[in-house]
Amino acid sequence: MTEAFFNEMYDRDGLRMPYQMLEGWYQNMPAEFRALKQAEAEGLFRRYGITFAVYGEGGDPDRLIPFDMFPRVFGANEWRRLERGIKQRARALNAFLSDVYDRGEIIRAGRIPADLVYQNEAYEIAVAGFRPPLGVFSHIVGIDLVRTGADQFYVLEDNCRTPSGVSYMLENREVMMRMFPHLFQENRVAPVDGYARLLKRTLASVAPAKCERDPCVVLLTPGHYNSAYYEHSFLADLMGIELVEGQDLFVEGDFCWMRTTEGPKKVDVIYRRIDDAYLDPLCFRPDSTLGVPGLMNVYRSGGVTICSAPGAGVADDKAIYTYVPEMIRFYLGEAPILENVPTWQCAKADDLKYVQEHLAELVVKEVHGSGGYGMLVGPKADKATIEAFAAKLAANPSNYIAQPTLALSTCPTFVEEGIAPRHVDLRPYCLVGRDVELVPGGLTRVALTDGSLVVNSSQGGGVKDTWVIAEE
């Protein structure tokens, strides 16, 4: 079974070029030294406070994310193609958002069904007709990629709202550089530590027209009980901006203000890490205590920019995902560089019939699901699980899409016996503002259990440092 998967380290001719520089490193590493370094890595992660939270399962909710020391490596040519494809996709998704909150030309042209957009629960009528600065709705786009062959990459899903995980990308590199500095001295590994600078520049570039000075940028967090709070505080610290909660902000006149010890300070850009529903109790959920009353009025009048924009989530709906290649052709006039995974939309009768007849072979996901929850991995499920899921699917077909079980590539991973192949995916982070930018790397997630295809940290997955070898 293992031979059906593309091995990123070895091919028929032996060790693949990107990994040749690591051969001596891992072969000459004694088991005792490796165990010592693994313990050191865990100590660094704990000291830095790099945890994620899982609630509702009992015990300590703050957990260390498992870190594998064997880096994933991309050659310069491999990365160049990925970068072009990711940037193309980010531009098309933003063009789609700008369009569907305006004239809806792609819908008028019959390329995407109207009800899929306008009846989507992520479509925010509150921003219809509003154009944010530079026409950008999604400023940080996380594109989840899987690999099935030497030149075969597929987009698994798009994340246009508040994609998380970039702190792990940065800290994975920091930990590796501290533990194995000689690897970075001997090899041309492209740096990722410029991400925070690029992110701050991106956010500042979309300041509202009413901003007449250097923009004041803040990061809005739900608070320390949120599973990604570490990342919120980490990014705010790296960018040198204030980390705020809803109670720290207020609306007065045409602007949003931040409470400080020196008096109110006008805020120009809010990098929000809370969901649309909680942003403004006067516009969305009236019971929200996490947002800022009146914020949406200020936003729509051009007094503040919210990144990513409210309503951006309609672009990363898993039913909308199937139309992204069409978006690229429609808005950019280009052929898609990166392919979608073939997808059945269970809202369609013919697709539903096929999925129901092949549940044991498919991966079925909720259109608004995340974190590996609410999905069925048919080949790994027992009969009772499949039958239970079939009942949920029959009760609400439009809530699901299905995809084939892809032969995800494997990457060398340290295990007790030495190294072994484990399945991986990749989430690069594309920044969209005045420019479209991408740091050379991303978050590689790895399924640490032998044979598992589920890489989510909430489901037992781990992370790796992701290297891109710079050109000479």
Side-chain angles (χ1 to χ4, degrees), residues 8-26:
E8 296 191 10
M9 187 171 183
Y10 294 101
D11 58 20
R12 294 176 181 176
D13 300 322
L15 199 62
R16 293 183 66 245
M17 181 65 73
Y19 284 90
Q20 289 180 4
M21 62 184 179
L22 292 174
E23 185 174 21
W25 170 69
Y26 77 85

Side-chain angles (χ1 to χ4, degrees), residues 162-177:
T162 55
S164 63
V166 73
S167 59
Y168 299 127
M169 175 189 81
L170 298 171
E171 291 288 35
N172 291 345
R173 177 62 53 84
E174 177 70 20
V175 167
M176 284 295 289
M177 291 182 72

Side-chain angles (χ1 to χ4, degrees), residues 145-461:
L145 299 165
V146 294
R147 188 177 196 174
T148 59
D151 299 310
Q152 295 172 307
F153 292 89
Y154 290 94
V155 175
L156 197 58
E157 63 182 52
D158 306 292
N159 299 275
C160 297
R161 301 175 228 202
T162 55
S164 63
V166 73
S167 59
Y168 299 127
M169 175 189 81
L170 298 171
E171 291 288 35
N172 291 345
R173 177 62 53 84
E174 177 70 20
V175 167
M176 284 295 289
M177 291 182 72
R178 286 195 59 166
M179 294 198 306
F180 304 105
H182 66 282
L183 289 179
F184 297 89
Q185 294 164 359
E186 298 167 0
N187 301 289
R188 294 177 58 84
V189 181
V192 297
D193 58 1
Y195 177 83
R197 175 180 54 82
L198 294 179
L199 175 58
K200 186 175 182 181
R201 186 168 76 187
T202 296
L203 297 172
S205 75
V206 294
K210 293 180 180 179
C211 177
E212 299 174 346
R213 48 176 168 62
D214 287 342
C216 173
V217 182
V218 300
L219 193 157
L220 176 61
T221 176
H224 67 279
Y225 288 113
N226 183 266
S227 62
Y229 181 73
Y230 164 77
E231 177 161 297
H232 305 166
S233 59
F234 176 78
L235 288 175
D237 185 54
L238 282 183
M239 288 190 285
I241 66 174
E242 293 295 332
L243 179 68
V244 299
E245 297 182 25
Q247 61 192 358
D248 300 317
L249 304 177
F250 67 96
V251 164
E252 186 173 292
D254 295 331
F255 299 103
C256 180
W257 303 83
M258 172 173 55
R259 294 181 172 90
T260 77
T261 55
E262 299 177 351
K265 182 175 182 180
K266 185 160 77 74
V267 173
D268 301 297
V269 180
I270 298 174
Y271 174 27
R272 56 85 173 231
R273 295 297 297 261
I274 69 176
D275 294 341
D276 289 1
Y278 300 96
L279 273 173
D280 181 352
L282 300 183
C283 184
F284 302 119
R285 284 186 56 156
D287 61 341
S288 172
T289 59
L290 302 176
V292 185
L295 180 63
M296 288 300 295
N297 283 338
V298 175
Y299 174 65
R300 287 179 297 212
S301 68
V304 70
T305 300
I306 301 174
C307 303
S308 284
V314 71
D316 62 25
D317 179 274
K318 291 181 178 64
I320 294 288
Y321 154 91
T322 60
Y323 293 95
V324 177
E326 189 60 40
M327 295 178 199
I328 293 170
R329 298 184 188 97
F330 185 81
Y331 296 115
L332 308 182
E334 300 171 0
I337 296 168
L338 298 173
E339 295 182 58
N340 269 19
V341 178
T343 302
W344 291 272
Q345 297 181 57
C346 297
K348 297 180 178 179
D350 290 345
D351 285 13
L352 175 62
K353 184 174 185 295
Y354 179 87
V355 171
Q356 289 174 323
E357 293 172 352
H358 297 83
L359 271 179
E361 306 163 20
L362 302 172
V363 176
V364 188
K365 305 176 182 178
E366 294 180 348
V367 294
H368 300 296
S370 63
Y373 293 105
M375 64 185 288
L376 173 76
V377 182
K380 300 292 182 181
D382 56 32
K383 185 177 179 181
T385 301
I386 291 174
E387 289 177 352
F389 201 94
K392 292 197 296 183
L393 175 61
N396 189 8
S398 62
N399 192 47
Y400 297 95
I401 56 100
Q403 296 171 332
T405 308
L406 293 180
L408 269 63
S409 63
T410 63
C411 193
T413 301
F414 283 118
V415 296
E416 191 172 336
E417 300 79 19
I419 64 167
R422 293 291 186 265
H423 296 291
V424 290
D425 75 355
L426 176 69
R427 176 180 290 182
Y429 299 87
C430 188
L431 302 175
V432 186
R434 192 171 304 281
D435 302 304
V436 181
E437 300 182 283
L438 187 71
V439 295
L443 176 64
T444 288
R445 301 182 297 181
V446 54
L448 296 173
T449 303
D450 187 15
S452 173
L453 298 172
V454 181
V455 299
N456 305 80
S457 57
S458 55
Q459 303 287 296

